[in-house]
Amino acid sequence: MKSIYKVFLLMFVVLGFAFSNDVLLSIDGTSLNYTSTEEIAGFQFNHDGCATNPSGGAAAEAGFTISGSSSTVLGFSFSLDAIPPGSGTLLDLGGECETITGLVFTNVSGDYLEVVLDSDDSSILGCTDESACNYNFDATEDDGSCE
């Protein structure tokens, strides 16, 4: 009986790690907040014009160069610094965003981090066209980004 218990416990631990996320994001007003179990060495995401002047937060504290355009925000460090694991405000978006898409976060090794945007809306925006090069398997609502 103890062997069965150990097997189930091991399966629970392995599955827990397999389905965990490295970075959890949430939007509160103009703040993009994060909780991360990994160092964040860089990030990029798309927006609908709401991130007018991204700045500050943990990204600025880590010495990141933060750049925003009419549709994309990019943050990284020329000196290879990283945002340590933890939580807080990643950056101020400069405007109130409903959502952000195309989340790409990397660690210091250049590996992609698993990122989830926590929202009250249960829909996941992204490209839902299976023939598109940027098809998002997790998307439940098309955001018009298909290429």
Side-chain angles (χ1 to χ4, degrees):
M1 188 67 166
K2 286 185 178 184
S3 295
I4 293 174
Y5 175 74
K6 288 180 182 179
V7 168
F8 281 114
L9 181 61
L10 180 61
M11 285 177 43
F12 177 75
V13 170
V14 169
L15 288 175
F17 282 117
F19 293 106
S20 65
N21 298 303
D22 299 319
V23 181
L24 176 64
L25 300 174
S26 64
I27 300 172
D28 184 15
T30 63
S31 295
L32 179 59
N33 300 315
Y34 75 102
T35 299
S36 179
T37 58
E38 296 279 334
E39 287 185 319
I40 300 171
F43 58 84
Q44 177 178 327
F45 58 84
N46 301 323
H47 61 90
D48 62 0
C50 58
T52 56
N53 189 22
S55 63
E61 290 172 12
F64 276 35
T65 296
I66 304 167
S67 177
S69 72
S70 61
S71 62
T72 304
V73 171
L74 176 68
F76 64 95
S77 170
F78 282 107
S79 59
L80 304 178
D81 291 327
I83 299 166
S87 62
T89 300
L90 182 63
L91 66 119
D92 185 290
L93 296 168
E96 291 197 21
C97 296
E98 292 285 323
T99 191
I100 55 176
T101 60
L103 305 169
V104 178
F105 281 59
T106 60
N107 64 17
V108 294
S109 299
D111 300 321
Y112 292 111
L113 300 175
E114 188 71 33
V115 184
V116 171
L117 175 64
D118 185 25
S119 68
D120 295 334
D121 185 3
S122 61
S123 62
I124 299 172
L125 298 177
C127 176
T128 57
D129 181 353
E130 292 182 20
S131 64
C133 62
N134 63 330
Y135 170 67
N136 182 344
F137 179 80
D138 296 323
T140 59
E141 185 178 335
D142 194 275
D143 66 357
S145 68
C146 296
E147 298 174 0

